[in-house]
Amino acid sequence: MRLIIRDDPKAVAYYTANYVRQRINEFKPTRKRPFVLGLPTGSTPVEVYWHLVDYYKRGEVSFRHVITFSMDEYVGLPRSHPESYCAFMHRHLYDHINLRPENVHMLDGNADDLAAECQRYEDKIKEVGGIELFLGGIGPDGHIAFNEPGSSLESVTRVKTLAYETVLANARFFGGDVNKVPKLALTVGVGTVRAAREVLLIITGAHKAVALAKCIEEGVNHMWTVSVVQLHPSAMIVCDEDATLELHVKTVRYFKSIEQVQEQLIGRQHIGLKGSISKLASSDPADSFGSGVLPPAAATASKDSNTSDASQSSADEDASDADDDDDDVSSQPFSDDEDRNGDTATAATPAASTPSPANILADSSSDINGVRVDDSLTPAAPVGNPF
Amino acid sequence: MTTSSSSGGIITQFYNCVVLKDHRLVDDYVYVQDGKIIDPAKMFFDERRAPDVRIDCGGGIVAPGYIDVQINGAFGYDFSNDTDIIDEAVDNVSKGLLMQGCTAYCPTTVSSRPEVYKQVLDHLGPRAGSVERGAEVLGAHVEGPFISPQKKGAHELATLRTAEGGLEAFDECYGLDRLRRNVAYVTMAPEVSGVLESIPRLIAATGIRIAAGHSNATTAEATQALAGGASMITHLFNAMHPFHQRDPGVIGLLGASGTTRPFYGIICDGVHVHPHSVMIAYRAHPDGACLVTDAMAAQSLPNGVYKLGEMDVDVHDGNVYIQGTNTIAGAVITLAECVRNFARFTGASKVEALESATLHPAQMLGITGRKGVLAHGADADIIVLDHELNVQRIFVAGKEATRENVVYKNKL
């Protein structure tokens, strides 16, 4: 499991969206081989979707051959209700991109036979070849989708009664009236998420800290269903500093150091998007791992520059905590990360960006504890990692 | 791209725009199919459709098409005088107005003899808008002849009458059936004999709306008209008793508390009403403002002297007077200009200015289900404007109106 720690929810959203974009582009989906994406609702995904919409509008990603499956939907809420998950997804994502309507799969909370609807959904997932990447969040009680504590870790898509705590948490979307909140929901199962080829969880905020700690530092347990990520061969959690508040200091340090080591000793261009390593650092530009991503600076220079590289970024980060995303993050999402968001999977700016080992070490301004970690796509888990 | 088996014609999406929606300008899209504005979520989830045509609005404003509820003619045509060629008049004016951004209107007749009403009213009735036929006709606005001789303005004295006979008088003048079929609203003066009692009965018998105008009524009389069902004031300030602090007359209805205040037409050419007066009225009752042109046949005609019906008028740089007098014969302004002037005169926001030419007239006429709003199910009468409120593109019933496909002529 990789744990990517970023400063705040904005940086988390940006990292996640960028990762999704790169995964799709690298995959090069076609009609016969579409990219199947699982998608959540919630306030953190909103910002991820905002970035994805922006990427689409700038021509940096296409959803033409992307198929989506949503995680859950309330039972009994009309689709036109502004709080239905259909309305949410449409409002924040589907209305703005070139996703084909026939490629979008939502659970139908108004179906006559809910069990059959759940089975249909599972069948559909199999029919399209399984989910390539499942994005998700975590509840304060450690649940994924609506798989509340006590859900079987092998569960499939089914109807769930919502925990009272969840109902209370959702009341704010229904005018604060607990009685108006739906009590039942259709949800993908824990097993459904596990069956995806990759799982990416977005976890932000201090109120999620206990759940995160339970899920990654303790055992796999049906009372904290997200803990199944420990058993998934390709899981990643992107979280903010606040969400790490209940983790052991050494856990946080360890994961931060992973990213550091990768950058310094391996070199970002040798690390695949999902963590595979092609070789150790070399100064040969032709060696860079760059399959099928969009040309870099063709996009606007002001945002996610694919051309940035380790040395350039670390130089910018110059040693101080104050030199942080935070200042810019409140306004333009892209201006801050322009330098920092490196892209391991790009063939871009070869000569300028390829660091030699000497350069990397010399330019690194982050200390070994990863106080200033480059907000790059460097995955945290190298091949053969001891986890 | 495959479309699903579901019904419906091509779907058009307006994007890269700010949309007038819920009294705000919001970054959003507008979707149109089969001449109506549709719900994108239904389109996406139920119909499984994506837009077929996308229109880049260049960052401009997308608003409902303008609605003019007081216009006597244009392009040389006059709805009260061109009785022999009334269809030609409606045809050309409808198309000409469409090209100015006005997608729906009420052709207005001035005080006339009964024969004229018999001749023209049936041709001024509701008629759907289209690129082929021009702006939608919402029904006629019959202004007079039950108005005050002291406030007749440019109306002909000999045509004015009183209503002692009650409903009979209106039937004899217009034909109640003709009113019911063709007329959106009638302007009359509350103090004219027989009018006050007739207002509620007329509404009940024909379903039309009643406006107070061309009147010397006291505030008390005007209030009674309001209570009887009148819901509109015709060209506020013009042809009515001036504001007096102890008896504000018809104008005083803008200050009537404890009751639903009427809508009011107001002409913002800077000539009919002083800009300060526009601001005072607007600030007194912002929700009631309906921008109207009160345009007459000389609108869009070059400067000159024209014989319009029985009158000779002098058109000179935006002013139109009855030849040899100081009496304003009518305006020659477009509604789009009125909107820009109005925003300037009053300091109203773009939203407020736009709503005064779209939402409020639609509310006055009771047609907000399909006009004056960009709501799901409404007619796709849409204008795209720049941020100075200049009209750039015009769509009626979902199709774009251009110089190429909307062809009309001046009468003269």
Side-chain angles (χ1 to χ4, degrees):
Chain A
M1 182 206 81
R2 296 179 268 172
L3 185 67
I4 307 288
I5 302 166
R6 291 291 175 268
D7 291 329
D8 54 35
K10 279 193 189 305
V12 166
Y14 184 61
Y15 182 101
T16 305
N18 202 5
Y19 183 80
V20 171
R21 175 183 68 89
Q22 299 220 357
R23 279 283 270 121
I24 293 173
N25 287 334
E26 195 179 292
F27 187 93
K28 291 207 268 232
T30 63
R31 197 175 53 78
K32 294 211 178 87
R33 186 178 158 263
F35 189 97
V36 185
L37 191 55
L39 295 176
T41 56
S43 46
T44 313
V46 169
E47 192 153 355
V48 174
Y49 297 151
W50 188 92
H51 287 297
L52 288 176
V53 169
D54 198 61
Y55 287 136
Y56 164 71
K57 285 182 176 166
R58 292 164 191 263
E60 292 175 32
V61 72
S62 168
F63 291 87
R64 182 83 181 74
H65 298 297
V66 172
I67 293 180
T68 64
F69 285 87
S70 284
M71 296 190 119
D72 40 27
E73 176 63 276
Y74 289 117
V75 168
L77 206 57
R79 201 185 268 162
S80 53
H81 192 287
E83 292 306 324
S84 77
Y85 286 169
C86 279
F88 176 97
M89 292 306 300
H90 188 264
R91 187 163 64 236
H92 291 292
L93 187 62
Y94 301 155
D95 202 15
H96 307 277
I97 57 177
N98 65 339
L99 202 49
R100 309 294 313 145
E102 61 270 20
N103 286 344
V104 168
H105 301 283
M106 311 278 306
L107 284 160
D108 182 2
N110 295 300
D112 293 324
D113 184 345
L114 294 175
E117 167 64 11
C118 293
Q119 185 59 51
R120 179 196 71 82
Y121 206 68
E122 286 282 344
D123 292 342
K124 196 70 188 174
I125 293 174
K126 289 188 181 54
E127 190 186 309
V128 299
I131 294 177
E132 179 69 25
L133 171 61
F134 220 133
L135 297 186
I138 188 177
D141 58 4
H143 71 237
I144 182 155
F146 278 131
N147 293 290
E148 316 258 80
S151 296
S152 160
L153 298 179
E154 305 247 0
S155 50
V156 292
T157 303
R158 65 216 187 285
V159 184
K160 283 289 282 186
T161 308
L162 301 185
Y164 189 56
E165 195 184 287
T166 304
V167 170
L168 285 180
N170 289 346
R172 70 187 196 271
F173 300 120
F174 291 86
D177 184 354
V178 163
N179 296 319
K180 290 208 173 78
V181 183
K183 310 290 186 298
L184 294 177
L186 301 183
T187 180
V188 296
V190 184
T192 319
V193 176
R194 289 177 68 185
R197 288 185 278 284
E198 183 176 1
V199 177
L200 193 167
L201 298 180
I202 311 160
I203 301 180
T204 60
H207 57 304
K208 304 285 174 77
V210 170
L212 179 59
K214 290 285 186 192
C215 288
I216 70 174
E217 285 182 338
E218 297 188 22
V220 174
N221 188 315
H222 68 163
M223 297 311 281
W224 301 92
T225 50
V226 170
S227 62
V228 293
V229 297
Q230 299 178 29
L231 300 173
H232 196 288
S234 195
M236 175 156 71
I237 295 179
V238 187
C239 69
D240 66 351
E241 293 282 350
D242 279 351
T244 66
L245 285 173
E246 293 285 342
L247 294 176
H248 295 299
V249 172
K250 81 175 176 199
T251 307
V252 174
R253 284 191 181 180
Y254 174 70
F255 283 108
K256 285 184 177 176
S257 76
I258 299 279
E259 288 197 63
Q260 183 106 24
V261 162
Q262 300 218 305
E263 201 143 313
Q264 293 175 7
L265 298 183
I266 296 168
R268 198 177 312 134
Q269 76 279 16
H270 297 300
I271 300 174
L273 205 47
K274 290 177 68 176
S276 56
I277 293 184
S278 45
K279 59 195 267 189
L280 291 184
S282 104
S283 52
D284 180 1
D287 213 11
S288 43
F289 180 95
S291 56
V293 288
L294 289 168
T300 59
S302 68
K303 62 171 298 295
D304 171 30
S305 153
N306 295 337
T307 68
S308 74
D309 61 284
S311 55
Q312 183 185 330
S313 327
S314 1
D316 288 335
E317 292 157 17
D318 255 317
S320 108
D321 282 342
D323 179 19
D324 211 323
D325 294 343
D326 290 347
D327 298 332
D328 304 332
V329 148
S330 56
S331 54
Q332 283 300 317
F334 300 112
S335 54
D336 56 331
D337 278 329
E338 162 189 355
D339 317 302
R340 298 189 190 127
N341 194 54
D343 174 11
T344 58
T346 183
T349 62
S353 67
T354 307
S356 69
N359 284 351
I360 294 173
L361 292 169
D363 285 340
S364 166
S365 54
S366 308
D367 69 33
I368 194 62
N369 294 319
V371 169
R372 275 296 329 136
V373 178
D374 176 39
D375 189 16
S376 73
L377 269 223
T378 318
V383 159
N385 74 74
F387 315 130
Chain B
M1 182 219 70
T2 57
T3 54
S4 78
S5 58
S6 68
S7 59
I10 64 163
I11 295 176
T12 305
Q13 177 197 36
F14 292 78
Y15 73 102
N16 190 11
C17 51
V18 281
V19 177
L20 178 55
K21 184 171 153 180
D22 298 329
H23 310 293
R24 287 162 48 220
L25 287 174
V26 290
D27 210 329
D28 202 352
Y29 313 105
V30 176
Y31 296 84
V32 170
Q33 182 186 39
D34 296 333
K36 299 275 186 191
I37 295 173
I38 60 170
D39 176 355
K42 270 176 107 163
M43 169 195 90
F44 192 89
F45 292 114
D46 294 343
E47 308 292 322
R48 297 265 170 198
R49 295 272 299 265
D52 305 295
V53 173
R54 302 183 75 222
I55 295 182
D56 186 342
C57 300
I61 298 172
V62 171
Y66 290 144
I67 301 175
D68 193 352
V69 297
Q70 172 140 21
I71 173 162
N72 308 286
F75 309 100
Y77 292 100
D78 183 301
F79 297 121
S80 309
N81 288 312
D82 289 327
T83 51
D84 295 332
I85 53 166
I86 189 66
D87 287 329
E88 181 188 320
V90 172
D91 256 1
N92 285 297
V93 174
S94 299
K95 286 189 270 198
L97 288 184
L98 179 62
M99 290 315 294
Q100 294 172 355
C102 176
T103 53
Y105 72 108
C106 293
T108 305
T109 55
V110 297
S111 297
S112 306
R113 296 186 171 75
E115 308 85 72
V116 172
Y117 295 121
K118 283 177 183 50
Q119 253 189 302
V120 306
L121 280 189
D122 286 320
H123 298 262
L124 302 179
R127 184 178 93 159
S130 65
V131 159
E132 296 79 26
R133 308 187 83 187
E136 171 150 343
V137 178
L138 296 170
H141 167 199
V142 176
E143 191 186 17
F146 297 89
I147 58 172
S148 162
Q150 285 80 46
K151 292 294 174 190
K152 66 178 178 61
H155 291 214
E156 199 191 321
L157 185 61
T159 63
L160 306 193
R161 46 178 64 205
T162 58
E164 277 94 2
L167 268 191
E168 283 288 308
F170 294 97
D171 191 25
E172 200 250 323
C173 179
Y174 312 119
L176 290 183
D177 210 51
R178 215 169 270 118
L179 285 184
R180 192 182 304 116
R181 281 199 311 270
N182 303 301
V183 172
Y185 70 111
V186 176
T187 295
M188 52 189 74
E191 78 278 20
V192 163
S193 179
V195 164
L196 266 183
E197 311 83 80
S198 302
I199 288 175
R201 296 166 62 206
L202 204 49
I203 293 173
T206 62
I208 62 173
R209 282 166 162 75
I210 306 285
H214 285 272
S215 167
N216 241 341
T218 61
T219 287
E221 286 161 334
T223 307
Q224 275 184 281
L226 193 63
S231 53
M232 171 72 164
I233 298 173
T234 296
H235 46 54
L236 185 78
F237 295 124
N238 298 111
M240 57 183 61
H241 201 281
F243 184 92
H244 184 279
Q245 68 272 28
R246 281 190 291 277
D247 187 344
V250 171
I251 299 168
L253 293 180
L254 262 59
S257 58
T259 181
T260 308
R261 293 177 288 169
F263 292 93
Y264 55 98
I266 188 156
I267 305 169
C268 291
D269 59 356
V271 172
H272 279 68
V273 180
H274 193 284
H276 297 346
S277 309
V278 176
M279 164 124 117
I280 289 172
Y282 180 67
R283 294 292 162 201
H285 183 28
D287 291 339
C290 294
L291 304 184
V292 298
T293 59
D294 199 14
M296 40 84 80
Q299 198 238 57
S300 296
L301 290 178
N303 287 349
V305 175
Y306 301 93
K307 186 162 184 64
L308 298 173
E310 325 250 330
M311 288 188 290
D312 292 313
V313 296
D314 193 336
V315 178
H316 187 74
D317 290 342
N319 301 333
V320 184
Y321 294 97
I322 299 177
Q323 212 182 11
T325 74
N326 279 332
T327 310
I328 300 175
V332 288
I333 196 169
T334 65
L335 196 47
E337 282 172 78
C338 287
V339 171
R340 291 191 291 273
N341 287 346
F342 175 78
R344 223 175 53 245
F345 295 167
T346 62
S349 67
K350 289 194 275 264
V351 167
E352 292 164 332
L354 290 169
E355 287 188 338
S356 298
T358 56
L359 176 65
H360 297 170
Q363 286 171 330
M364 190 278 283
L365 293 175
I367 54 174
T368 49
R370 56 184 194 92
K371 293 282 189 227
V373 285
L374 294 177
H376 304 152
D379 292 347
D381 293 349
I382 293 168
I383 51 178
V384 181
L385 308 105
D386 64 20
H387 288 264
E388 280 76 49
L389 300 183
N390 298 304
V391 176
Q392 303 189 309
R393 296 178 79 164
I394 304 154
F395 295 79
V396 64
K399 294 209 167 51
E400 185 161 16
T402 64
R403 300 244 156 259
E404 284 73 45
N405 62 13
V406 177
V407 178
Y408 61 96
K409 64 182 179 77
N410 288 339
K411 177 185 171 196
L412 314 170

